[in-house]
Amino acid sequence: TRCLSDWSSDVCSSDLGFIGDVHLGHDYWELKPMNISHFIGDTILDLTKAHIPYGETKLTISSFIGDVKVYVPNDYDLGVTVSSSSFLGDVRVFNQSESGFFRTASASTPTYHEADKKIKIVVSTFIGDVRVTKVG
């Protein structure tokens, strides 16, 4: 993982390799905007131990072949919006579920627009399942 800081923004960009699984969020960490691209393998992003800053933090995750799983804390003060798509696979965002070809799902927590801390998640896969789940 490579984090870049300059005068205009703080962006954490992950160059995560070509083949193999990626798991981010084992330990406590500070969430910053991220672009995660992965070719073959599963991508797991656990936000339950992340320190989430005030404002909106955008996370973009793309995978060619493999499942993408994102775990977000079930915190009333946190607003989360998700937009996901899969060419072939199942898409489950919170309580919405779609399966088959060309599947998309979008969902937001009820307090997204009023929340002081927000996470915007955009996930796309070619072949694979997408799961965004509230934990806690």
Side-chain angles (χ1 to χ4, degrees):
T1 302
R2 180 182 76 218
C3 293
L4 308 170
S5 293
D6 61 24
W7 61 271
S8 61
S9 66
D10 287 333
V11 176
C12 189
S13 174
S14 300
D15 298 333
L16 299 173
F18 192 67
I19 297 175
D21 294 344
V22 174
H23 188 171
L24 300 173
H26 287 291
D27 296 317
Y28 292 96
W29 58 296
E30 185 166 340
L31 183 65
K32 295 186 181 214
M34 281 192 238
N35 294 313
I36 301 171
S37 295
H38 201 65
F39 187 65
I40 298 174
D42 294 344
T43 303
I44 300 170
L45 180 59
D46 187 346
L47 302 175
T48 59
K49 294 181 182 177
H51 169 71
I52 300 165
Y54 287 95
E56 184 179 78
T57 305
K58 184 175 180 182
L59 309 175
T60 305
I61 304 166
S62 61
S63 174
F64 185 67
I65 298 174
D67 296 341
V68 175
K69 296 175 185 163
V70 181
Y71 300 102
V72 297
N74 191 13
D75 184 350
Y76 182 77
D77 297 330
L78 175 66
V80 180
T81 185
V82 181
S83 175
S84 66
S85 63
S86 176
F87 175 73
L88 175 61
D90 297 338
V91 175
R92 183 174 301 152
V93 176
F94 304 141
N95 295 327
Q96 289 187 20
S97 184
E98 300 282 337
S99 61
F101 289 97
F102 303 112
R103 295 289 109 196
T104 62
S106 297
S108 296
T109 56
T111 59
Y112 179 75
H113 294 290
E114 295 83 25
D116 292 331
K117 296 179 179 182
K118 300 177 184 182
I119 300 174
K120 181 177 184 176
I121 303 171
V122 179
V123 181
S124 61
T125 65
F126 184 67
I127 299 173
D129 296 339
V130 175
R131 301 275 186 272
V132 179
T133 307
K134 289 183 185 178
V135 176

